[in-house]
Amino acid sequence: MAPWLPTKEKYGVAVWNFPRTKEHHLPLQIGEMVHILQASEGWYCGYSLRNRAARVGHFPASLIRLKGTVVEQRGVEESVVPAEMPTVQEITTTLWEWATIWKQLYVAGQTERYGQVKRMMQELMEQRSQLLSGTLPKDQLLRLRKEVTGKMDYGNKILALDLVVRDEDENILDPDRTSVISLFQAHRRAAQTLTRRIQEETSPQQRAPGCGAQGAASPSHNLYLCVRNFVCHIGEEAQLFMALYDPGEQRIISENYVIRWASTGVPQDIELLNNLRVVFTDLGSADLKRERLFLVCQIIRVGRMDLRDSHSRKLSTGLRRPFGISGWLLMVISFTNMIRKAMEGKDINHKGQGLWVSLKMLWGDLSQVRKDHPHLVDRSTAVARKLGYPEVIMPGKRGDVRNDIYLTLVQGEFDKGSKKTQKNVEVTVCVCDEAGKCGAGMAGVPRVTSPRNVIHAGAGDRPTSHYRSVVYYQQRHQRWMETLKIAVPIEDVHRTHLRFTFRHRSSSDSKDRSERIFSMAFVRLMRPDGTTLRDGEHDLVLYKGDSKKLEDASAYLSLPSERNLSESKLLSGSSFRVSGVPSGLAVSTRDSFQISTLICSTKLTQNVNLLGLLKWRSKPSLLCGNLQKLMNVDGGEVIKFLQDTLDALFSIMMEHSETDVYDTLVFDALVFIVRLVADRKFQHFNTVLEAYIRQHFSATLAYKKLLSVLTQYVEQAGRGEPCESLPQTFKALEYIFKFIVRSRHLFAQLYEGKEVAEFQRSLQQFFLALNQLMESPLEGPTLLSQGAALKYLPSILEDVFGIFDSSALGAVLRDFVGNLLPQRLLKQKLQSLTHIASSKAFQSHECRELVLQAALPILQELIQAGEEEESCIELLSSILEVLYQAQKSAEKLRVQHKDPGDMELAQVKKHIQVILERLLHTVNRRVIVLDRENPLRWKSSEFPVNLQEAVGGMGEQPI
């Protein structure tokens, strides 16, 4: 046999089992990783990575598939590891470990746990294949890695195996590169996460319906529906309107999904056969917690007045007649949608007839759903939005303008007049311009789609120019409750109105043709003050007269369209009158008609106060009042016009740069907007606000006015004078300073760095006023302001650090904390110091040295007294973590032979020495007196270990 020759570092995986038949053989199983040390004529010599302590052995080279390797640098040492994705390696190792336990569970007869482990192993193997495929986009790869690591951690927990600690990217933490404190905190987070998951798995009844881990983390939920089949012996064309209905509120909460069904029993559009799919979007957590939520399906027959009419005479056709309704109570439990049939229309309650659907809950916004479920939701899938805005409003993409007007035909009451029986009333809705022409936008620029087609009966249906209601047979009181969407282009809304015409429909074709419009109502989409039609119910005035006059916009547009509240309460047939009605028209006092509207627009507002601010130049005399009234505007309205509102505020500030008349009002308005963005409902607009500051904000003088008002507020509170708005101002401090810093940057660019000294003095004045506020012993509002300052000042350090001297900033922070009375706001003081220690400013050794001068005496005193120990440990951990990372960075620089490395190491050593002298003895004495079972004992023990780790890393002997 040829001699054994050493090889370069090689790794491989066994592709076949190899039993041990001789003393020197290394037994292998499929999938086992090996480290190859030597090679000789078709044989390898090496050891298994499953058991590194096992001896070296021989195995056939033909059974091994070689794996690529990479060299990892660890300080001055190098090591060779497999190039395979770390997650794939971990899955392989985990499967081997679980396989042994899985067999033991089978032998022990634990069938339930055996089946659970089997399912998890099968899922991991499938996911391993997906990871190895290399075809996943980056976002899907990250999600898959999170899912895989979560499953492995969960499995390890229920099998009583070691807990693996990871970083935010799901990589296993390397103890050689991670501080003791970071390892401990990561271990605690992982344990808490797994405990929560196990509690959820074992106690599903405690969770909100439908809210699993994925659902709870998502602000948006979607209900996917696929219509499998519809069988109903109607004999005529039909329209199916499917929507979500809340019986508690007695209203539809979503747009309709419309299916047009041919009389032959298939969809009218044959291409939709086996492709009838819709997603009901924008559902929030509150929707999943509704007491009851139904999926309802209304069946509208399109054809004769009565199915029993014989064909012996010519009948009117095309009438929309109610046929049936079906409803399902949706029960959403743990991602599985259980559907229970709640009611059926008796007309379709026959054997072999019915509506078959499948449902599935999907998480995330629509773009995310399309990425995650391309086999279910593609561009051809209809989308039915929630009526109104979602629970958590997501910022739209650039150019994604929404202008949806939801119109509901509520009810009407019509006198039979000269007829012997009640009328069969049909309402026709059309969208008209000022000239009365049907189809909004006719005066606008040409568009790809017809401007006439702006009325949508529902998702999945083509837009039309007219909408005809259902016809009820000989009823005085008609209740339609039909909802449709009107999508008028923004530029056409101001000259657009809705016209409703009423006509009696006869079952006889000849009589039906002779029927004319007997009444008309209308409503403008814009009010005279420039706001849109208000949401809610509208009692419209009905006009009667010559049918041509009823369609002549010049005759009716100058007339009132709605009855006011007091008039609406009067009975029909009362003395309601309208003056100035032209000849040929009269008010129909014996009839009534109500509609309901809901407007969802990103460019039009219903609030006159917001509109007054956005158009402040048209009436500058009302500016003060409009700025004050902004605080009373609904948050959703302001957020919809976030950029426009901010533009208006800074335009006011810039155009009145020579006076301070509006400075305080604009500042307060800005604080109001920033606080809105911090609200959970609008939290996703943080990125929009930051993008506005970076890309759109251009007020070069704003920093002077913002700093001036902010300083005035702080000085006022420092003198003990009432300043109720200061705590709220501190909540907005982060973004106020982002505006200040960006404005100063733009000013410096425009004027080539002028007025630097003035800006630094303004900042110094603000910090001086702030530190004087912290000295105050007053209670009440002053105490609240001090607490808010402690909480929110660290949020500005990221922006201030780049424009303020490190030493000066360190002195400010030292005095900021040190000026507070010793026993005042202890917990808040420690939390503030913890956030300061986690900031970029604290990484600067000049700033760190001064902050430590304030922090260490406070820590020493509180630890000795046994007060606020949790917060003390958290602060001390943050400080030591920063020193550990600073040490590692300095060592890296020193290895690269860069002078700053030696300087930084010296500073780190100095700061560790100060902490040792101040706190080590104090911490040790405190740990000694704690009970062994006290969790603080274990947390406190991190401190000397981490110090030893840091000092030992610099070649020093620990004290």
Side-chain angles (χ1 to χ4, degrees), residues 572-589:
S572 63
S574 66
S575 58
F576 173 70
R577 296 289 183 269
V578 173
S579 60
V581 178
S583 61
L585 287 180
V587 176
S588 182
T589 57

Side-chain angles (χ1 to χ4, degrees), residues 418-431:
S418 60
K419 294 184 180 293
K420 295 180 181 180
T421 57
Q422 296 294 337
K423 297 173 181 174
N424 309 321
V425 179
E426 179 187 76
V427 187
T428 301
V429 185
C430 64
V431 181

Side-chain angles (χ1 to χ4, degrees), residues 883-884 887 891 908 912 945-955:
L883 290 172
Y884 178 86
Q887 169 205 328
E891 287 175 348
V908 173
I912 290 177
V945 173
N946 207 67
L947 278 176
Q948 180 170 345
E949 179 183 53
V951 179
M954 293 184 292

Side-chain angles (χ1 to χ4, degrees), residues 97-107 110 113-119 121-122 159:
E97 195 169 10
W98 287 6
T100 304
I101 300 174
W102 179 51
K103 295 172 186 175
Q104 294 170 357
L105 291 172
Y106 178 79
V107 172
Q110 299 183 28
R113 183 53 56 88
Y114 167 83
Q116 184 182 17
V117 174
K118 178 182 177 181
R119 286 192 298 273
M121 290 175 68
Q122 288 172 335
L159 293 176

Side-chain angles (χ1 to χ4, degrees), residues 261-319:
W261 210 259
S263 59
T264 54
V266 295
Q268 284 187 2
D269 185 351
I270 198 63
E271 292 183 0
L272 293 178
L273 190 63
N274 300 321
N275 194 31
L276 295 168
R277 300 177 295 168
V278 65
V279 177
F280 293 95
T281 65
D282 299 337
L283 302 176
S285 57
D287 294 309
L288 300 187
K289 295 175 183 176
R290 291 177 187 266
E291 185 177 349
R292 291 187 300 167
L293 186 63
F294 282 88
L295 172 67
V296 296
C297 176
Q298 301 174 66
I299 304 170
I300 306 298
R301 175 175 59 81
V302 182
R304 295 164 286 169
M305 183 69 73
D306 193 332
L307 282 172
R308 293 170 296 185
D309 287 342
S310 67
H311 291 277
S312 59
R313 58 194 178 103
K314 194 169 183 183
L315 302 173
S316 55
T317 58
L319 300 176

Side-chain angles (χ1 to χ4, degrees), residues 75-93:
V76 295
E77 296 181 1
E78 291 183 352
S79 60
V80 180
V81 296
E84 200 171 45
M85 189 185 300
T87 308
V88 173
Q89 294 179 38
E90 188 182 356
I91 292 174
T92 305
T93 306

Side-chain angles (χ1 to χ4, degrees), residues 12 83 201 274 280 287 307 482 645 705 801 886 898 922:
E201 293 287 341
N274 300 321
F280 293 95
D287 294 309
L307 282 172
E482 297 179 51
T645 307
K705 292 180 174 289
F801 181 65
K898 295 183 179 180
T922 304

